Amino acid sequence: MKILQRVSQYTTFYSPTCRGCLKNLSMGFKSCFFSTYSEEPEMRHLTEYLDSLHNFEKSGVPKGAGTDSDDGFDLGRMNRLMDRLGNPHLKFKSVHIAGTKGKGSTSAFLSNILRAEGYSVGCYTSPHIMTIRERMSVGRMNQPVSAKALNCLFHKVKDVLDEAIQLENGCITHFEVLTAMAFTLFAQENVDITVVEAGLGGARDATNIISSSGLAASVITTIGEEHLEALGGSMESIAMAKSGIIKHDRPLVLGGPFLPHIERILRDKASLMRAPVVSASDARIRATINGLTIFNDKPCQSCDIIIQVQRDFQLFMELFGVNLCMIGSHQLQNALTATCAALCLHDQGWRISEGSVRAGLENTCLVGRSQFLTSKQAELLGLPGATILLDGAHTKESAKALVDTIQMTFPEARLALVVAMASDKDHLAFAREFLSGRKLEAVLLTEADVAGGKTRVTSASLLRDRWFQASKELGVSTVHEGMAEYRELLEDPSIYSPAVSEHKTLLAAEKSLELSMKMANRILQRRTEKELGILVVTGSLHIVSSTLASLHN
């Protein structure tokens, strides 16, 4: 499938090497939902209640917890909780989405398509950036549930939750309570359909209480090595865990592309469950990026989407010149996957028009996914004039996607990275993708709390060691604290001149995110002179959250 065109074809839209052009893009970019605040005071009791529960996002998931085995999470516990709440999940149809990467974006695309058609939609995703309210949206507007509504719901179900926690010997988790509240909210609001993102794996995830009769379609976006130990230790076991959302006689949409033997595992499970399959990576489904432009004051990519499927399903749609604010070939694949899911619903009798698909795709953007801050936001961070890109990439696949996206949009830009990561990620593979993809002026390794705690935080010094190891493997010249010229490089501006023949990437460990960003920006300014420079903050959604939160601190 032809996804990505060469960047030379984009020059009719703007010059990617023009600093003024990027400044205009950055000034014009506004998130469709951008709010930085601490949890609202009226939700204090709810947040305290949730904080008293076991939170695997904060502590890390035990080995084998996501597998369909004796080590896996107790899905029976979740079913018993839902039964005590009156089984609200049985009162609406759901699209269930699992996958290593792309499930959040795919959920957002599909939810907005359905909203554009006029449906009342419940959408449940995780994790959140600034507030747990982001995990639930309900109705025809793409907005998080209000603090008042969530607080009222909590007090309505608190007695049931208390009883369930007692009967389950305190084993009910943070995620299980949030999932139960989301389904209760959707039933209370009488939604037409829900889009539900799995938290971990699929088979034993708390969201996998959805039955065949309640499932409109299941979607598996990608299969990668994230949460490897929690999902059985291999790509094959991860595929098996995620295939747990496939239900009898209900359609399965595959995103992909997948390794052949991984796709075979998914298709074999679908065959066993008599679930018809449509693949967004099928040769009869094509998508191309035509170029970059500005749409609704945001940088976006103009795309064509052509779907012609006649096996198992009758899916037809041709959309030309779709303006996606979610940039990158991986986001086009997510949009394609969501469109296939929407057409599967249409095949079942749901009303889905071409106009709604276009509007839904074009109106989708997510905080922390290839998000350029505005010039005002850069000033609030104490970095006036800086071009700052936030992206929650945290796997080697998402790192590659981010590198490819930057290469596609601004191939001549010079980059400085500020990186913080959780302890259970593949730091070395993540570093390799960036070091092999671009020449980097500096990489500042820092720390950001994970889910509000420090249990899973990787120390800045350990991250620096991993990046130094990756640079040695790839033959990338670096300067770091252990080298005599490190201090000179920081203090002597002349060393930063682009005329210097030998390019060396500075690697530094700094616990303070604020100091890391200021140091990276200073290095970038000295080295770029009149060239375009981008400060990239990445490694997790938690460092994105910390950056956005600091705007109002």
Side-chain angles (χ1 to χ4, degrees), residues 200-320:
L200 176 74
R204 291 293 186 93
D205 187 72
T207 62
N208 202 30
I209 54 173
I210 301 169
S211 64
S212 295
S213 61
L215 185 69
S218 56
V219 180
I220 299 176
T221 56
T222 60
I223 300 293
E225 293 183 347
E226 189 177 11
H227 301 300
L228 192 62
E229 290 303 310
L231 295 174
S234 69
M235 287 278 282
E236 292 78 11
S237 65
I238 291 173
M240 285 301 301
K242 295 185 187 300
S243 72
I245 70 167
I246 303 171
K247 299 294 192 299
H248 281 285
D249 299 316
R250 307 313 303 147
L252 168 66
V253 178
L254 296 177
F258 302 95
L259 294 172
H261 72 289
I262 296 299
E263 182 165 347
R264 176 46 51 198
I265 290 173
L266 301 177
R267 286 186 177 273
D268 285 348
K269 179 62 178 293
S271 177
L272 183 66
M273 306 297 278
R274 293 187 311 221
V277 179
V278 59
S279 170
S281 299
D282 191 285
R284 293 160 294 186
I285 299 176
R286 304 185 302 280
T288 56
I289 298 173
N290 302 317
L292 302 172
T293 186
I294 302 296
F295 180 73
N296 290 340
D297 293 328
K298 305 180 187 75
C300 68
Q301 54 191 15
S302 175
C303 308
D304 295 339
I305 293 175
I306 300 173
I307 298 173
Q308 299 174 336
V309 176
Q310 298 182 55
R311 183 179 177 181
D312 293 331
F313 300 92
Q314 298 294 315
L315 309 183
F316 298 95
M317 184 162 288
E318 293 184 350
L319 297 173
F320 299 99

Side-chain angles (χ1 to χ4, degrees), residues 410-436:
F410 306 107
E412 303 301 322
R414 302 175 78 123
L415 307 180
L417 270 58
V418 177
V419 178
M421 298 187 74
S423 58
D424 57 351
K425 306 305 176 187
D426 191 340
H427 310 133
L428 196 58
F430 187 87
R432 289 191 194 104
E433 291 296 337
F434 279 98
L435 290 168
S436 61

Side-chain angles (χ1 to χ4, degrees), residues 37 44 49 68 87 119 146 272 292 301 398 468 478 548:
Y37 45 78
R44 179 171 58 87
Y49 193 90
D68 195 9
N87 290 311
Y119 290 113
S146 71
L272 183 66
L292 302 172
Q301 54 191 15
S398 55
F468 179 59
T478 61
L548 295 176

